[in-house]
């Protein structure tokens, strides 16, 4: 008898790397023990002349039959698989060499696990290691007691029997230990199964000893043993099914009792937890939707975590599919399109679903997804059990409870708990209807949320949004409203208090802004997210919700473009709104229509005036609006999701320009600006390498320029990307130095070769002592750190003279040359 190691795959935690490594480590340890034991015993027991020998392929077939006909009993998240593998193991100890026995066990048992029981690769490897360990220990014990001779009497035949029982004990204890290691929980009750399971091992072993002992003198005796063996196997299978159904009834009883102790919505949460455990599923959930809903909400348990998940209307097909069909199973084989939607939105592959209580315009669907354990498919018994569990839970969830939850979900954002857009607009309309109220509407959009979400994952992004929501709550009063519209967009209503001093609302908006740009720390990772805020005042700038939201949104986009904090709506902004929207829509077409170009602004040495490089500058000439300035179109391309395409376009042109300059005798690098989103793009470095290879330019032909924004999202990822670029041969510069407060903090961590002094200081340094002091300090700091210094925006001789006095190395600006086409360089 063997206990297959199905439980490690049954735990939800086994889907993660650490539990899989623990299983692999246990498997390696067992394999090492088994091989060491086999190495000490390399020959079969000595048989009398003419005695029969057992062929290894036949023994492998016996192991395969034993594992294929195993008895399975599943209880919540634990599974036990009992087989008659001790019978071929006993024959193998006596009639086959140790190595042949191990090979037969691994090949036969492994084939049954992979092909018939459809175990995963990790489970099969684990069991193969266990088979080798069982074989080695059993054979080593028998050799240690009997030497190389076959048992000759009843007492000596106890030795192989004890060896087999010892192998079973090793199996049971190893499986119990690895289950606890995977779950990271000490559960001594697992060892209690050892005594119960050994009863079958003793019976099978005693039977085998009788047959094996008789076979040493008369080989045909084995044929007589086959009939009762088949009978025992069939009886075990029948007993296993009956036992499992009894367990199912017991679990259904416990499920009903547990729900009886809960009230209200706790019934649903308790039911989902119990449902996932009993059905041995990775996740369980209740999908709720009303007629006409644009989205649906799922109360879901996944990997032992209860959450509310908002999904797209595509999942309404699930409701329609289950409305009159009882229990249905959705699999990639039979429902590929719906399975694809489930995989994308719920990370679910195989789903059992059934309709629950609901009125004509409201529907609920209960489901479980992705079965764990010995098999990943739901069978007929699973469907019957799920139908009973769903019926029980549905009867406990009154329709009033479902309606209450639907209405609550219709009013609030599932992630943050803030009001959603619909609730916000209803509340704003109510405020506007009151003649004694005045106030403002704020539209808030986070500046760097997508970078964090893309680089660190949606879980970290969700936690960041929750923190932002908490900060907004702390900055609002009971008369105010804070809501989440979706993604990283929030809205607020701030009501002006009667007799409040002038500037009260303005001060509150500034507090909100400061809270949003204040550093956030989650799990030791620090973020400086930033926010763009647009403000519209009522009744002066609108008396209905649509107008106020549109005007606050217009001001918010201007705030994002100018990066200066909150912007109040002005009528002049409306003239720009249609233009900005059309430009936003046109961003992808700019590439295909040939509207983009790259100019190059030279950089020269202050010491001798020779060319030291150039900066690649993207330009967009729109078919209708003409030349669009970079500070306007770059943010638009970021939000349109095409900034990566623009960066690669500029890099390609820069590499071509560097190659052309080298051919003309100027072997100088071309500087290319990267946005924070570029720096966090995991494919960018490889794409740069491909571009250079295509053009035929060396990596030294590029100089990468980054701004301080690249350092406040994920400094570790930024540094890693820059180190890879530097290792290829590219230089790295920090652009616009001194315009933020984070450079000093991170400067020592970045692999920098050059520092660029921002033009705002260069413009003022001739008549502003503070700016002049900053320029001199920046030059000295850069030189102390082994970097060269470039001043940008140099337009006057006076500025040139001061930079030379400060010790600046290079300059660029209109005093030297404006941005030029490559042919004019």
């Amino acid at each position: 008898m063997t206990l297959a190691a199905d439980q490690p795959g049954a735990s939800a935690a086994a889907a993660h790397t650490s539990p899989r490594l623990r299983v692999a480590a246990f498997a390696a340890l067992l394999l090492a023990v088994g091989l060491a034991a086999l190495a000490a015993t390399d020959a079969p027991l000595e048989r009398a002349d003419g005695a029969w020998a057992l062929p290894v392929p036949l023994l492998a077939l016996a192991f395969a039959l034993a594992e294929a006909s195993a008895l399975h009993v599943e209880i919540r998240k634990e599974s036990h698989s009992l087989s008659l593998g001790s019978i071929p193991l006993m024959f193998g100890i006596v009639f086959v060499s140790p190595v042949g026995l191990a090979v037969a066990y691994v090949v036969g048992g492994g084939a049954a696990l992979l092909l018939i029981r459809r175990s995963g690769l990790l489970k099969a490897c684990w069991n193969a290691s266990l088979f080798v360990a069982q074989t080695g220990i059993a054979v080593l014990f028998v050799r240690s007691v009997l030497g190389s001779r076959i048992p000759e009497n009843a007492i000596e035949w106890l030795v192989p029997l004890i060896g087999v029982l010892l192998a079973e004990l090793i199996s049971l204890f190893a499986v119990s230990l690895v289950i606890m290691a995977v779950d990271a929980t000490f559960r001594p009750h697992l060892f209690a199964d050892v005594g119960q399971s050994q009863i079958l091992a003793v019976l099978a072993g005693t039977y085998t000893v009788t047959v094996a002992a008789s076979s040493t003198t008369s080989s045909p005796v084995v044929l007589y043993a086959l009939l009762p063996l088949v009978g025992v196997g069939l009886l075990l299978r029948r007993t296993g099914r009956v036992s499992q159904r009894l367990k199912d009834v017991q679990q259904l009883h416990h499920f009903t009792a547990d729900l009886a102790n809960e009230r209200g919505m706790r019934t649903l949460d308790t039911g989902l937890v119990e449902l996932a455990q009993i059905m041995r599923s990775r996740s369980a959930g209740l999908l709720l939707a009303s007629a006409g809903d644009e989205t649906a909400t799922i109360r879901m348990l996944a990997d032992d975590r209860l959450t509310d998940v908002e999904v797209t209307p595509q999942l309404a097909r699930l409701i329609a599919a289950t409305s009159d069909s009882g229990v249905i199973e959705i699999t990639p084989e039979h429902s590929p399109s719906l399975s694809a939607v489930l995989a994308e939105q719920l990370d679910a592959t195989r789903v059992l679903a059934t309709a629950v209580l609901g009125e004509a315009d409201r529907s609920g669907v209960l489901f479980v997804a992705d079965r764990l354990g010995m098999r990943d498919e739901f069978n007929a018994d699973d469907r019957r059990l799920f139908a009973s569990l769903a019926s029980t839970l549905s009867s406990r969830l009154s329709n009033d409870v479902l309606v209450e939850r639907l209405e609550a979900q219709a009013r609030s954002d599932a992630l943050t708990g803030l009001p959603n857009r619909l609730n916000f607009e209803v509340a704003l309309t109510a405020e506007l209807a009151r003649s004694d109220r005045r106030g403002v509407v704020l539209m808030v959009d986070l500046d760097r949320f997508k970078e964090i979400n893309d680089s660190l994952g949606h879980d970290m992004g969700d936690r960041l949004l929750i923190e932002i929501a908490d900060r907004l709550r702390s900055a609002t009063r009971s008369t105010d409203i804070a809501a989440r519209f979706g993604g990283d967009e929030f809205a607020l209503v701030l009501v002006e208090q009667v007799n409040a001093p002038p500037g009260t609302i303005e001060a509150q908006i500034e507090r909100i802004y400061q809270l949003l740009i204040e550093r956030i720390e989650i799990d030791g990772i620090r973020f400086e997210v930033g926010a763009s805020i647009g403000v519209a005042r009522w009744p002066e700038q609108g008396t209905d919700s649509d107008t106020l939201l549109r005007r606050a949104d217009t001001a918010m986009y201007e705030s994002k473009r100018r990066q200066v904090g909150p912007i109040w709506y002005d009528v002049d902004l409306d003239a720009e709104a249609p233009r900005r929207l059309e430009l936003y829509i046109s961003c992808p077409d700019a590439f295909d229509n040939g509207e983009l170009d790259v100019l190059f602004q030279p950089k020269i040495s202050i010491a001798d005036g020779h060319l030291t490089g150039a900066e690649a500058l993207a330009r967009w000439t729109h078919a209708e609006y003409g030349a669009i300035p970079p500070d306007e179109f770059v943010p638009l391309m970021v939000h349109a999701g095409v900034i990566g395409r623009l960066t690669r376009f500029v890099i390609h042109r820069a590499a071509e320009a560097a190659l052309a300059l080298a051919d003309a005798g100027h072997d100088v690098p071309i500087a290319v600006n990267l946005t924070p989103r570029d720096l966090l793009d995991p494919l960018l470095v490889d794409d740069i390498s491909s571009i250079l290879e295509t053009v035929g330019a060396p990596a030294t032909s590029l100089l990468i320029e980054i701004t301080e924004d690249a350092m406040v999202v994920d400094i570790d990822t930024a540094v890693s990307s820059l180190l890879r670029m530097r290792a290829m041969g590219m230089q790295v510069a920090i652009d616009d130095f001194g315009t933020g407060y984070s450079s000093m903090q991170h400067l020592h961590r970045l692999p920098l070769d050059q520092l660029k002094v921002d033009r705002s200081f260069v413009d003022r340094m001739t008549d502003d002592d503070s700016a002049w002091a900053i320029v001199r300090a920046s030059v000295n700091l850069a030189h102390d750190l082994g970097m060269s210094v470039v001043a940008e925006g140099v337009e006057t001789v006076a500025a040139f003279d001061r930079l030379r006095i400060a010790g600046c190395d290079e300059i660029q600006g209109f005093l030297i040359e404006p941005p030029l086409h490559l042919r004019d360089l």
Side-chain angles (χ1 to χ4, degrees):
M1 181 208 68
T2 60
L3 176 67
D6 290 304
Q7 178 62 22
S11 171
H16 303 297
T17 302
S18 181
R20 287 182 177 274
L21 287 177
R22 288 196 285 269
V23 173
F26 267 89
L29 178 61
L30 285 173
L31 183 61
V33 170
L35 292 176
L38 289 172
T41 56
D42 59 356
L45 295 176
E46 296 177 355
R47 299 183 298 277
D49 292 339
W52 69 287
L54 182 61
V56 171
L58 183 61
L59 186 62
L61 178 61
F63 278 119
L65 292 174
E67 292 300 326
S69 59
L71 181 154
H72 307 303
V73 179
E74 298 182 334
I75 309 172
R76 292 182 179 260
K77 284 195 171 183
E78 294 173 21
S79 63
H80 301 278
S81 175
L82 309 176
S83 77
L84 293 174
S86 58
I87 295 177
L89 181 61
M90 174 74 79
F91 277 103
I93 291 174
V94 177
F95 298 114
V96 178
S97 69
V99 174
L101 173 58
V103 170
Y105 206 165
V106 170
V107 173
L113 289 171
L114 287 172
L115 302 179
I116 299 177
R117 288 169 53 181
R118 301 185 66 177
S119 295
L121 183 60
L122 180 62
K123 293 181 190 178
C125 291
W126 156 263
N127 278 283
S129 300
L130 187 60
F131 295 158
V132 173
Q134 287 181 280
T135 302
I137 294 298
V139 172
L140 183 61
F141 174 77
V142 173
R143 295 297 193 277
S144 299
V145 178
L146 296 179
S148 61
R149 58 190 177 82
I150 288 182
E152 298 177 352
N153 54 55
I155 299 298
E156 290 184 350
W157 274 106
L158 286 176
V159 175
L161 174 60
I162 295 172
V164 170
L165 295 179
L166 181 60
E168 294 298 322
L169 283 172
I170 291 171
S171 171
L172 290 165
F173 274 99
V175 170
S176 299
L177 287 173
V178 81
I179 290 172
M180 289 186 282
V182 168
D183 290 344
T185 305
F186 180 69
R187 294 189 284 168
H189 74 273
L190 290 173
F191 295 109
D193 294 327
V194 173
Q196 300 174 13
S197 302
Q198 287 300 94
I199 296 175
L200 181 59
V202 171
L203 293 176
T206 304
Y207 167 82
T208 310
V209 163
T210 303
V211 177
S214 302
S215 299
T216 57
T217 57
S218 177
S219 57
V221 172
V222 176
L223 299 177
Y224 296 125
L226 292 179
L227 186 58
L229 186 59
V230 172
V232 169
L234 294 175
L235 181 61
L236 281 176
R237 297 286 290 177
R238 177 66 178 173
T239 303
R241 286 194 292 269
V242 173
S243 175
Q244 185 61 60
R245 289 177 182 174
L246 177 60
K247 296 295 183 184
D248 291 345
V249 172
Q250 292 174 340
Q251 291 179 105
L252 180 59
H253 171 73
H254 290 306
F255 181 73
T256 304
D258 289 342
L259 292 184
N261 296 325
E262 302 293 352
R263 294 292 184 270
M265 290 316 301
R266 286 194 61 185
T267 303
L268 175 58
D269 290 348
T270 300
L272 292 178
V273 172
E274 295 277 316
L275 187 64
Q277 290 180 341
I278 295 173
M279 293 302 300
R280 297 180 51 75
S281 299
R282 187 185 65 80
S283 60
L286 179 65
L287 186 151
L288 299 170
S290 295
D293 277 355
E294 294 184 358
T295 59
T297 301
I298 294 179
R299 181 62 171 170
M300 186 170 177
L301 174 80
D303 295 333
D304 300 323
R305 179 184 174 190
L306 280 162
T307 55
D308 284 327
V309 181
E310 191 173 274
V311 295
T312 65
Q314 291 172 293
L315 279 185
R317 294 175 56 194
L318 178 60
I319 297 174
T322 58
S323 57
D324 298 311
S325 306
V327 174
I328 66 166
E329 184 172 6
I330 303 167
T331 66
E333 295 82 7
H334 300 105
S335 310
S337 58
L338 186 52
S339 290
V341 174
L342 289 167
E344 177 184 356
Q345 299 188 37
L346 301 181
D347 192 25
T349 303
R350 296 179 179 275
V351 172
L352 280 184
T354 188
V356 293
L357 284 174
E359 295 179 350
D361 62 340
R362 298 183 180 94
S363 301
V365 172
L366 191 68
F367 68 88
V368 292
D370 297 335
R371 194 183 191 283
L372 305 169
M374 294 168 294
R375 49 186 168 82
D376 58 4
E377 297 176 341
F378 295 103
N379 61 19
D381 289 337
D382 291 325
R383 288 190 284 273
R384 282 192 292 268
L385 177 60
F386 176 66
S388 299
L389 294 169
S391 177
T392 301
L393 181 58
S394 179
S395 66
R396 288 288 304 155
L397 287 173
S398 68
N399 198 51
D400 289 341
V401 171
L402 290 179
V403 172
E404 175 190 350
R405 186 164 188 84
L406 280 167
E407 291 175 348
Q409 290 168 349
R411 294 191 302 267
S412 62
D413 172 58
L415 177 65
T416 64
L418 291 176
N420 60 14
R421 182 175 190 130
L422 176 63
N423 195 2
F424 179 87
E425 291 180 353
V426 170
L428 175 57
T429 300
E431 288 292 336
L432 296 174
R434 298 181 57 173
S435 59
D436 60 333
R437 292 290 182 93
R438 303 170 61 86
V440 295
V441 173
L442 275 66
M443 288 297 297
V444 178
D445 190 83
L446 304 183
D447 288 341
R448 305 183 186 96
F449 174 74
K450 189 174 189 333
E451 286 89 334
I452 296 171
N453 209 39
D454 291 346
S455 61
L456 299 180
H458 295 293
D459 181 63
M460 184 64 75
D462 288 349
R463 295 171 67 183
L464 182 63
L465 291 173
I466 292 170
E467 173 64 24
I468 293 294
D470 290 341
R471 292 188 178 192
L472 291 177
R473 286 190 187 96
S474 70
T476 53
R477 302 155 300 182
S478 59
T479 54
D480 302 331
I481 305 167
R484 180 184 175 219
F485 276 18
D488 59 352
E489 191 175 39
F490 296 82
L492 296 94
V493 169
L494 306 183
V495 177
E496 188 173 342
Q497 302 296 309
V498 178
N499 299 322
T504 300
I505 284 286
E506 288 80 358
Q508 185 180 4
I509 293 172
E510 183 61 26
R511 285 197 303 274
I512 291 172
Y513 176 66
Q514 292 301 324
L515 277 175
L516 293 177
I517 66 174
E518 186 178 305
R519 181 175 296 165
I520 295 173
E521 183 170 337
I522 301 175
D523 291 345
I525 302 176
R526 296 180 177 180
F527 308 104
E528 294 167 5
V529 182
S532 301
I533 299 179
V535 187
R537 185 187 294 274
W538 91 78
E540 292 87 347
Q541 294 170 341
T543 55
D544 63 273
S545 61
D546 288 342
T547 300
L548 286 167
L549 286 171
R550 185 178 67 253
R551 290 179 170 176
D553 198 55
T554 297
M556 184 271 291
Y557 274 103
E558 183 66 14
S559 171
K560 188 170 290 292
R561 185 181 73 84
R562 291 165 53 184
Q563 294 289 296
V564 292
I567 292 289
W568 290 71
Y569 170 78
D570 185 272
V571 67
D572 292 338
L573 295 178
D574 270 340
E576 289 295 312
R579 174 181 181 274
R580 185 169 50 250
L581 177 60
E582 187 168 342
L583 289 175
Y584 174 81
I585 296 172
S586 301
C587 281
D589 297 331
F591 297 89
D592 302 327
N593 297 339
E595 297 175 355
L596 292 172
D597 196 4
V598 177
L599 302 183
F600 302 91
Q601 186 168 38
K603 295 188 287 186
I604 67 166
S605 168
I606 285 184
D608 56 19
H610 76 272
L611 184 68
T612 59
E615 180 178 2
L617 301 169
R619 294 293 183 261
W620 183 9
T621 305
H622 191 272
E624 179 179 351
Y625 296 112
I628 312 299
D631 64 348
E632 181 177 5
F633 74 73
V634 170
L636 288 174
M637 289 200 170
V638 169
H639 289 287
V642 295
I643 190 63
R645 188 176 177 185
L646 177 64
T647 298
R648 287 158 176 79
F649 173 79
V650 174
I651 289 172
H652 196 280
R653 290 289 185 88
E656 292 176 336
L659 196 62
L661 286 174
D663 292 341
H666 301 288
D667 192 6
V668 295
I670 303 297
V672 176
N673 292 279
L674 298 188
T675 68
R677 187 165 299 179
D678 290 325
L679 204 55
L680 300 180
D681 184 345
L683 301 177
L684 180 65
V685 179
D686 292 334
D687 287 348
I688 292 176
S689 179
S690 297
I691 291 171
L692 291 171
E693 184 178 352
T694 300
V695 174
T700 53
S701 64
L702 295 182
L703 186 151
I704 302 301
E705 292 189 3
I706 62 171
T707 62
E708 295 177 68
D709 287 348
M711 297 183 290
V712 298
V713 176
D714 183 357
I715 181 66
D716 293 328
T717 301
V719 169
S720 176
S721 296
L722 292 174
L723 285 173
R724 289 183 61 196
M725 295 180 199
R726 222 165 170 239
M728 292 167 60
M730 289 174 259
Q731 290 184 303
V732 179
I734 182 167
D735 197 7
D736 301 336
F737 182 76
T739 57
Y741 59 86
S742 58
S743 293
M744 292 293 184
Q745 177 186 353
H746 298 306
L747 197 59
H748 69 285
R749 294 190 58 188
L750 292 167
L752 298 173
D753 302 285
Q754 192 176 91
L755 181 149
K756 295 190 73 174
V757 180
D758 186 66
R759 67 177 302 149
S760 62
F761 299 110
V762 174
D763 288 341
R764 303 190 335 257
M765 68 179 179
T766 55
D767 52 17
D768 185 333
D769 290 341
S770 296
W772 170 232
I774 290 174
V775 170
R776 285 186 287 118
S778 298
V779 171
N780 292 332
L781 173 64
H783 286 165
D784 289 342
L785 294 175
M787 293 185 283
S788 62
V789 181
V790 179
E792 59 183 355
V794 181
E795 298 183 357
T796 65
V797 174
F800 176 87
D801 291 338
R802 283 232 164 177
L803 290 168
R804 182 176 55 195
I805 293 171
C808 184
D809 302 295
E810 304 171 26
I811 61 171
Q812 72 178 83
F814 278 77
L815 179 66
I816 311 303
E817 289 285 358
L820 304 170
H821 285 95
L822 176 59
R823 62 179 178 272
D824 299 322
L825 273 179

